[in-house]
Amino acid sequence: MPYTAPLTGVVPPLCTPLTPEGEVDVDSLLRLVDHLVAARVSGLFVLGTTSEAAFLTDRQRRLVVETTVAHVAGRLPVLAGAIDMTTPRVRERVASVADAGADAVVVISPFYAATHPAEIARHFRLVAAASPVPVLAYDLPAAVHTELPADVVVELARDGVLAGLKDSSGDLAGFRQVAAGVRAHPAFTLLTGSELLVDAALALGAHGAVPGLANVDPHGYVRLDRLWRAGDTEAARAEQERLCALFGIVRVGDPARMGRSSAALGAFKTALHLLGVIAGPTTAEPQVPLSQEEVNRVEGLLIEAGLL
Amino acid sequence: MPYTAPLTGVVPPLCTPLTPEGEVDVDSLLRLVDHLVAARVSGLFVLGTTSEAAFLTDRQRRLVVETTVAHVAGRLPVLAGAIDMTTPRVRERVASVADAGADAVVVISPFYAATHPAEIARHFRLVAAASPVPVLAYDLPAAVHTELPADVVVELARDGVLAGLKDSSGDLAGFRQVAAGVRAHPAFTLLTGSELLVDAALALGAHGAVPGLANVDPHGYVRLDRLWRAGDTEAARAEQERLCALFGIVRVGDPARMGRSSAALGAFKTALHLLGVIAGPTTAEPQVPLSQEEVNRVEGLLIEAGLL
Amino acid sequence: MPYTAPLTGVVPPLCTPLTPEGEVDVDSLLRLVDHLVAARVSGLFVLGTTSEAAFLTDRQRRLVVETTVAHVAGRLPVLAGAIDMTTPRVRERVASVADAGADAVVVISPFYAATHPAEIARHFRLVAAASPVPVLAYDLPAAVHTELPADVVVELARDGVLAGLKDSSGDLAGFRQVAAGVRAHPAFTLLTGSELLVDAALALGAHGAVPGLANVDPHGYVRLDRLWRAGDTEAARAEQERLCALFGIVRVGDPARMGRSSAALGAFKTALHLLGVIAGPTTAEPQVPLSQEEVNRVEGLLIEAGLL
Amino acid sequence: MPYTAPLTGVVPPLCTPLTPEGEVDVDSLLRLVDHLVAARVSGLFVLGTTSEAAFLTDRQRRLVVETTVAHVAGRLPVLAGAIDMTTPRVRERVASVADAGADAVVVISPFYAATHPAEIARHFRLVAAASPVPVLAYDLPAAVHTELPADVVVELARDGVLAGLKDSSGDLAGFRQVAAGVRAHPAFTLLTGSELLVDAALALGAHGAVPGLANVDPHGYVRLDRLWRAGDTEAARAEQERLCALFGIVRVGDPARMGRSSAALGAFKTALHLLGVIAGPTTAEPQVPLSQEEVNRVEGLLIEAGLL
């Protein structure tokens, strides 16, 4: 993780392959890393929401970081999530992933307990003060049920607390406000977590993207990023729209039977399984698996997208 | 924790006294246990939301359970929370608190990841199957941002998965539906987490109450419970209304400066400090403390309630 | 509408019978009024949410009030809703229903535009200042998406702005706070809009109830009210639980096919149609009707409740 | 309103100037129309949210349309909102504004009553079937508390029900989905209601913008639109960022004292007053006015933006 320039390009948030018993499938994880590195992504993000970090035990989390870091062997920066509820617990998670070799940590706002923006800022300050590696903030209101205000991010960037932001808020107006506010801090890394608006985010000042769908089609996102940087916005837009269609896989799971996490992560893992990257589509408990008919629809979308 | 009859009466969710450095203040915890036992509460609930469980590390959580269990020495049942995000992590928390001596565990719905009611039911089934002690469900939508549907609770009661429910939903209509549904299961324990509607909940079929404010005024809640059971609903109502006025301490903290957790837990701990039960009002990071003026207002309400 | 004592007992919020073309079915409305008066309700509330007031044109609303007032001919107070978005529009609705003969108006918080509690208070003050008849506030957060804070209600009661409250918030703790706060104002009418917690609300200080289900079973609610007032809380509870089971009709409509309004109002009207009170179950556009299979399930619940 | 090609460019949603007594200030309205026409906007949208349509009586609404249509005299298309709760009421509003001369109507999803997406679609079909002028849908979840799903919009565009969409959802991913879906319908008009993301929306396929802030700085938005169409995306972005800074006027009103409507509409009207376009900043009841200090801060932002 560079301290002096932003991280650019595609940084996939890795799925965590699991055995049918719910253990980390290390062989599949290594193949997934290879699959992504081969597509020339710019970095890897483990233990995020897409990684089912909320479902992994602390031991499993550590195994994921150690495995990934060892396999990557410095070829790319490895960012690791430190998802937990509050400052004291997040500090422990940060220490653990840093000790396991992560180049940077990605830290979310407190959740479960109701917090005030001033407490959110305080959280990031305390966590960063104790972190041996750079800290990026992770804005995911759908998970934590608070907003990370743009002015808080800008203040924390200015004070050197945050080295970057992964924005999964869906609020591009707030993203634009952050982009304008951190322009004075040239090493600050601004990443979008959107699968659907990477070109729009790059136009607003994003340095890169962390799309969960990049597990499935890393080449597509790398192409999109390069086309956009080369100034070919029309071709970038066409690539983005192809990826938007592919993202339809997350709407395959029946909402009458499963939550959004099961549907999205089940679709990513099913696709990776169909592509031969991972050994099986198991998601962690209490998520429910896709039905065979839903698997077939994922397969159909992979074919339409030219991946199968 | 009895398996053959519901737990009745007042089961305070213990605050976790902290040193100024954020460590568990064991001496203060012992005094708090004594303070509650002396008031003739029916059980103790540690590691709930009021206990700041979301802020305690796993080591601290274990210390709280071990300390409480050892000190209580079987005089009262000790229930312990197992607050974590998902099934695999909760299973670990359950094993830990059971190993530390808890008589029952209190388990909340999954949070952080978006879930479906069917996944919530699956979560409780999987957690209970692996638990060495009875499992009570904990319904706290304000923290987990999902509802625990009444029909799910009734189904899990019927199937012997759940031994009880601590309801902090604020939805008395749903509570009534659960009460009607579990009437056929005479050992099922139905507890309200409300500070303000204990008499109403008892009238609807609650067996007992888990009010955070009982840390501050356990005698009041025990009186309310006994008056109600003795059929003196008017006196119970008067006692409840006195406690409603005292509950005003949670609205003292300025919402422009702090979240609801800081305000509520700060008020409880400040009151316990002013009452001489615990050594200091420290709450865990990133919560912010009450100002001196706010402390004075808490003191005023304690005086009005006849506690100082 | 008495000014010197609260209105007590059951005040049904009348359904508005419609012809298949969506016009007010005056004959059915008259039969519905007779059905309710015969059950010895204490007052009638027209143009509320249950009346589909949000779906009626201003001309239709006026027709409903005039028809009801003329038919009741002073035997009972007639309350009328004045549902509209903001102060200037509500003032017009108030003038219209008062001119049409309503004894009191029921006014909801502003909606559509985002408001502050201070603006909500200002709204009630301005509306009441211009109203020729007493004003009751209507707390229905599910429709207006703001809360009507208890302290605002108490302040407006104290200042003589409000003559009463119809509480459909589902928040009994707030209801208790209002009840305690208005005890000093003996003419203030406190009504619950709950179908499921009438006994609990009476115990907390409600004077009466405005349950939509009383269209279908006015005798049941009148019995419940009388039993409770006679001190027979156990029999009142049994009657309430019978009505809770009957309320299952609002969950018959398939949520995959219709919204909650279609399901609830469709169920009430279907039941009234099956009971022979109104000529047909038509609800206003864009609501969708119950299917024949759903109608059959409503019929089954009416039979179980002893109404058919 | 053309039926054969989309409406492009800037279509300001006009503020409705009010006298201190709350009447429509016709002279100020005429000056505001002139102010906008002189800036070469492409159309005018009256009776939208920015117009305080939710606060205007039906008589006032009609006056606004008639005044504007007469003054514009065919130079530009005049779109009019038909904001009301449900299908029967909206049909009346549509008839009224069409009769008053509007070239097209802008219709929002039902609100107040809880609806299902199928009922929302049905609403638009029924309203459009009865409308003498083209119907655009208005997606404003902040007001109606439901989402207008992209697939519903695309289906209604395909079936010729909708002539366009004004999107104020803040969800650019959904906007992109609509844009892709309506590409096959070349006369469909896709407008963004965002003040902050006009360039991004144009890049995604918007034909034009309906920014409330264009009341204050129509020249800025027209410049932005032209720069973007001319392919000078960098200059468009700079203009957009200048307007983002100016939009800070909506955050001047103290949220401890007023709702978002008072703050936003108060700021727009205060700015128009300071710019000499309208005679006074009065907003409709129960909104509260900006304080003198807040007015001064609006003035400061106008100066920074080069408008004063």
Side-chain angles (χ1 to χ4, degrees):
Chain A
M1 180 73 193
Y3 280 86
T4 52
L7 180 59
T8 60
V10 180
V11 185
L14 273 74
C15 288
T16 306
L18 297 177
T19 67
E21 294 73 32
E23 269 309 314
V24 177
D25 175 348
V26 171
D27 287 347
S28 290
L29 176 58
L30 296 180
R31 281 198 303 274
L32 176 57
V33 169
D34 288 340
H35 169 66
L36 299 173
V37 171
R40 301 190 177 257
V41 301
S42 304
L44 300 176
F45 172 36
V46 295
L47 303 188
T49 306
T50 301
S51 317
E52 295 173 271
F55 299 85
L56 301 177
T57 65
D58 292 345
R59 177 185 57 75
Q60 291 176 323
R61 292 185 183 193
R62 190 173 178 101
L63 175 59
V64 166
V65 179
E66 288 175 344
T67 301
T68 306
V69 166
H71 195 63
V72 166
R75 289 173 290 168
L76 296 176
V78 176
L79 290 66
I83 293 178
D84 217 319
M85 296 168 242
T86 57
T87 313
R89 293 182 65 87
V90 169
R91 269 196 297 235
E92 285 199 350
R93 298 292 89 70
V94 166
S96 173
V97 298
D99 187 61
D103 297 294
V105 292
V106 184
V107 171
I108 203 158
S109 294
F111 53 98
Y112 187 88
T115 48
H116 185 275
E119 294 168 334
I120 296 174
R122 186 178 170 92
H123 174 70
F124 283 111
R125 288 184 184 276
L126 290 163
V127 168
S131 174
V133 292
V135 173
L136 289 84
Y138 186 0
D139 188 14
L140 183 59
V144 299
H145 302 278
T146 57
E147 299 188 353
L148 180 56
D151 55 359
V152 167
V153 174
V154 172
E155 169 200 311
L156 296 174
R158 183 200 62 203
D159 294 353
V161 173
L162 292 179
L165 172 71
K166 171 189 184 305
D167 175 81
S168 298
S169 68
D171 171 16
L172 276 197
F175 188 79
R176 165 164 248 159
Q177 196 183 338
V178 172
V182 301
R183 211 170 284 156
H185 312 296
F188 190 89
T189 293
L190 191 52
L191 303 172
T192 177
S194 175
E195 272 89 0
L196 304 171
L197 294 167
V198 174
D199 54 347
L202 289 169
L204 294 175
H207 300 106
V210 190
L213 188 63
N215 283 279
V216 178
D217 192 0
H219 291 282
Y221 280 101
V222 168
R223 253 191 323 267
L224 159 53
D225 180 71
R226 293 192 178 175
L227 288 166
W228 196 90
R229 282 176 209 285
D232 192 347
T233 54
E234 267 315 297
R237 179 164 115 157
E239 185 66 34
Q240 174 69 80
E241 292 191 359
R242 190 186 61 80
L243 291 162
C244 288
L246 177 60
F247 194 60
I249 61 174
V250 309
R251 286 187 295 270
V252 158
D254 181 1
R257 203 167 53 81
M258 66 181 72
R260 289 195 312 278
S261 181
S262 292
L265 304 183
F268 292 165
K269 287 185 153 183
T270 294
L272 286 170
H273 180 220
L274 290 168
L275 292 170
V277 178
I278 68 176
T282 304
T283 50
E285 298 286 5
Q287 293 170 101
V288 297
L290 300 191
S291 68
Q292 184 57 50
E293 190 260 328
E294 289 164 347
V295 169
N296 295 346
R297 289 178 58 202
V298 170
E299 189 170 23
L301 285 161
L302 291 175
I303 291 169
E304 278 179 37
L307 298 179
L308 265 185
Chain B
M1 181 74 193
Y3 280 86
T4 53
L7 181 60
T8 60
V10 179
V11 184
L14 274 74
C15 289
T16 306
L18 297 176
T19 66
E21 294 74 33
E23 270 308 316
V24 177
D25 175 348
V26 171
D27 287 348
S28 289
L29 176 57
L30 296 179
R31 280 198 302 273
L32 175 57
V33 170
D34 289 341
H35 168 66
L36 299 172
V37 171
R40 302 189 176 255
V41 301
S42 305
L44 300 176
F45 172 37
V46 295
L47 302 188
T49 307
T50 302
S51 317
E52 295 174 271
F55 299 85
L56 300 178
T57 65
D58 292 344
R59 177 185 57 75
Q60 290 176 324
R61 291 185 183 193
R62 191 173 178 100
L63 175 59
V64 167
V65 180
E66 287 175 345
T67 300
T68 305
V69 167
H71 195 61
V72 166
R75 288 174 291 167
L76 295 177
V78 176
L79 289 67
I83 293 179
D84 217 318
M85 295 167 242
T86 57
T87 313
R89 293 182 66 87
V90 170
R91 269 196 297 236
E92 285 199 350
R93 298 293 88 69
V94 166
S96 174
V97 297
D99 188 60
D103 296 295
V105 291
V106 184
V107 171
I108 204 158
S109 293
F111 53 98
Y112 188 86
T115 48
H116 185 275
E119 294 168 336
I120 296 174
R122 188 178 169 92
H123 174 70
F124 283 112
R125 288 183 185 276
L126 290 163
V127 168
S131 174
V133 293
V135 172
L136 289 83
Y138 187 1
D139 188 15
L140 183 58
V144 299
H145 302 278
T146 57
E147 299 189 354
L148 181 55
D151 55 358
V152 168
V153 175
V154 172
E155 169 200 312
L156 296 174
R158 184 199 63 203
D159 293 353
V161 172
L162 292 180
L165 173 70
K166 173 190 183 302
D167 175 80
S168 298
S169 68
D171 171 16
L172 274 199
F175 189 78
R176 164 165 249 159
Q177 197 183 338
V178 172
V182 301
R183 211 170 284 155
H185 312 295
F188 191 89
T189 293
L190 191 52
L191 303 172
T192 177
S194 175
E195 272 88 1
L196 304 171
L197 294 167
V198 174
D199 54 347
L202 290 169
L204 294 176
H207 300 107
V210 190
L213 188 64
N215 281 280
V216 178
D217 192 359
H219 291 282
Y221 280 102
V222 169
R223 251 190 325 265
L224 159 53
D225 180 70
R226 294 190 176 178
L227 287 166
W228 196 88
R229 283 177 207 284
D232 192 348
T233 54
E234 267 316 297
R237 180 164 116 158
E239 185 67 34
Q240 174 67 82
E241 292 192 358
R242 190 186 61 81
L243 291 162
C244 288
L246 177 60
F247 193 60
I249 60 174
V250 309
R251 288 187 293 270
V252 159
D254 182 1
R257 201 166 54 81
M258 66 181 71
R260 289 195 312 278
S261 181
S262 293
L265 304 183
F268 292 164
K269 288 186 152 182
T270 295
L272 286 170
H273 181 220
L274 291 168
L275 292 170
V277 179
I278 67 175
T282 303
T283 50
E285 298 287 2
Q287 293 170 103
V288 298
L290 299 191
S291 68
Q292 185 56 50
E293 190 260 330
E294 290 163 347
V295 170
N296 295 345
R297 289 178 57 201
V298 171
E299 189 170 23
L301 285 160
L302 291 174
I303 291 168
E304 279 179 38
L307 298 178
L308 265 184
Chain C
M1 181 74 195
Y3 281 87
T4 52
L7 181 59
T8 60
V10 179
V11 184
L14 273 75
C15 289
T16 306
L18 297 177
T19 67
E21 295 73 33
E23 269 310 314
V24 176
D25 175 348
V26 171
D27 286 347
S28 289
L29 176 58
L30 296 179
R31 281 198 301 275
L32 177 57
V33 169
D34 289 340
H35 169 65
L36 299 173
V37 171
R40 301 192 177 252
V41 302
S42 304
L44 300 177
F45 173 36
V46 295
L47 303 188
T49 306
T50 302
S51 317
E52 296 174 89
F55 299 85
L56 301 177
T57 64
D58 292 344
R59 177 185 58 75
Q60 291 177 323
R61 292 186 183 192
R62 190 170 178 104
L63 175 60
V64 166
V65 180
E66 287 175 345
T67 301
T68 306
V69 166
H71 195 62
V72 167
R75 289 174 291 167
L76 295 177
V78 176
L79 290 66
I83 294 179
D84 217 319
M85 296 168 240
T86 57
T87 313
R89 293 182 66 87
V90 170
R91 269 196 298 233
E92 285 200 348
R93 299 291 88 70
V94 166
S96 174
V97 298
D99 187 60
D103 296 295
V105 293
V106 184
V107 171
I108 204 158
S109 294
F111 53 98
Y112 188 88
T115 48
H116 184 274
E119 293 167 335
I120 296 173
R122 186 178 170 92
H123 173 70
F124 284 111
R125 288 183 184 278
L126 289 163
V127 168
S131 174
V133 292
V135 173
L136 288 83
Y138 188 179
D139 188 15
L140 182 59
V144 299
H145 302 279
T146 57
E147 300 187 354
L148 179 57
D151 55 358
V152 167
V153 175
V154 172
E155 169 200 311
L156 295 175
R158 184 199 63 204
D159 293 354
V161 172
L162 292 180
L165 172 71
K166 173 190 183 304
D167 175 81
S168 298
S169 68
D171 171 17
L172 276 198
F175 189 79
R176 165 165 249 160
Q177 198 183 336
V178 172
V182 301
R183 211 170 283 156
H185 312 295
F188 190 89
T189 293
L190 191 52
L191 303 171
T192 177
S194 174
E195 272 89 1
L196 304 172
L197 295 167
V198 174
D199 54 347
L202 289 169
L204 294 175
H207 299 107
V210 190
L213 188 63
N215 282 279
V216 178
D217 192 359
H219 291 281
Y221 280 102
V222 169
R223 254 193 319 269
L224 159 52
D225 180 70
R226 292 190 177 177
L227 288 166
W228 196 89
R229 280 175 210 285
D232 192 348
T233 54
E234 267 316 295
R237 179 163 115 159
E239 185 66 35
Q240 175 68 82
E241 293 192 358
R242 190 186 62 79
L243 290 161
C244 289
L246 177 60
F247 194 60
I249 61 174
V250 310
R251 287 186 294 269
V252 158
D254 181 1
R257 202 167 54 83
M258 66 182 70
R260 288 195 312 278
S261 181
S262 292
L265 303 184
F268 291 165
K269 288 185 152 184
T270 294
L272 285 170
H273 180 220
L274 291 168
L275 292 169
V277 178
I278 68 175
T282 303
T283 50
E285 299 285 4
Q287 294 171 100
V288 297
L290 300 192
S291 68
Q292 184 57 49
E293 190 261 330
E294 290 163 348
V295 169
N296 295 345
R297 289 177 57 201
V298 170
E299 190 171 22
L301 285 160
L302 291 174
I303 292 169
E304 279 179 37
L307 297 179
L308 265 185
Chain D
M1 181 75 193
Y3 281 86
T4 52
L7 180 60
T8 60
V10 179
V11 184
L14 273 74
C15 289
T16 306
L18 297 176
T19 67
E21 294 74 33
E23 271 308 315
V24 176
D25 176 347
V26 171
D27 287 348
S28 288
L29 176 58
L30 296 179
R31 281 199 301 274
L32 176 56
V33 170
D34 289 341
H35 168 66
L36 299 173
V37 171
R40 302 188 176 254
V41 300
S42 305
L44 299 177
F45 173 35
V46 295
L47 302 188
T49 306
T50 302
S51 316
E52 295 173 271
F55 299 85
L56 301 178
T57 65
D58 292 344
R59 179 185 56 75
Q60 291 176 324
R61 291 184 184 192
R62 189 170 180 103
L63 176 59
V64 166
V65 180
E66 289 175 344
T67 301
T68 305
V69 166
H71 195 62
V72 166
R75 289 174 290 169
L76 294 177
V78 176
L79 290 66
I83 293 179
D84 216 318
M85 296 167 240
T86 57
T87 312
R89 293 181 66 87
V90 169
R91 271 195 296 235
E92 285 200 349
R93 298 293 88 68
V94 166
S96 174
V97 298
D99 187 61
D103 297 294
V105 292
V106 184
V107 171
I108 204 160
S109 294
F111 54 98
Y112 188 87
T115 47
H116 184 275
E119 294 167 334
I120 296 173
R122 186 178 169 92
H123 173 71
F124 283 111
R125 288 184 185 276
L126 289 163
V127 168
S131 175
V133 293
V135 173
L136 289 83
Y138 187 179
D139 188 15
L140 183 58
V144 299
H145 302 279
T146 56
E147 299 189 354
L148 180 55
D151 54 359
V152 168
V153 174
V154 172
E155 169 200 311
L156 295 174
R158 183 200 62 202
D159 294 353
V161 172
L162 292 180
L165 172 72
K166 172 190 182 305
D167 176 81
S168 298
S169 69
D171 171 17
L172 275 198
F175 189 79
R176 165 165 249 161
Q177 197 183 336
V178 172
V182 300
R183 211 170 283 154
H185 312 294
F188 191 89
T189 294
L190 192 52
L191 303 171
T192 177
S194 174
E195 273 88 1
L196 304 171
L197 294 168
V198 174
D199 53 348
L202 290 169
L204 294 175
H207 300 107
V210 190
L213 188 63
N215 283 280
V216 178
D217 192 0
H219 291 282
Y221 281 101
V222 170
R223 253 192 321 268
L224 159 52
D225 179 70
R226 295 192 175 176
L227 288 166
W228 195 88
R229 282 176 208 284
D232 192 348
T233 54
E234 266 317 295
R237 177 163 119 157
E239 186 66 34
Q240 175 67 82
E241 292 192 358
R242 189 187 61 80
L243 290 161
C244 288
L246 177 60
F247 194 60
I249 61 174
V250 309
R251 288 188 293 271
V252 159
D254 181 1
R257 202 166 54 81
M258 67 182 71
R260 289 195 311 279
S261 181
S262 293
L265 303 184
F268 292 165
K269 288 185 151 182
T270 295
L272 285 169
H273 180 220
L274 291 167
L275 292 170
V277 178
I278 67 175
T282 303
T283 50
E285 298 286 2
Q287 294 171 100
V288 297
L290 300 191
S291 68
Q292 185 56 50
E293 190 260 329
E294 290 163 347
V295 170
N296 295 345
R297 288 178 57 203
V298 170
E299 189 170 23
L301 285 160
L302 292 174
I303 292 169
E304 279 179 38
L307 299 179
L308 266 185

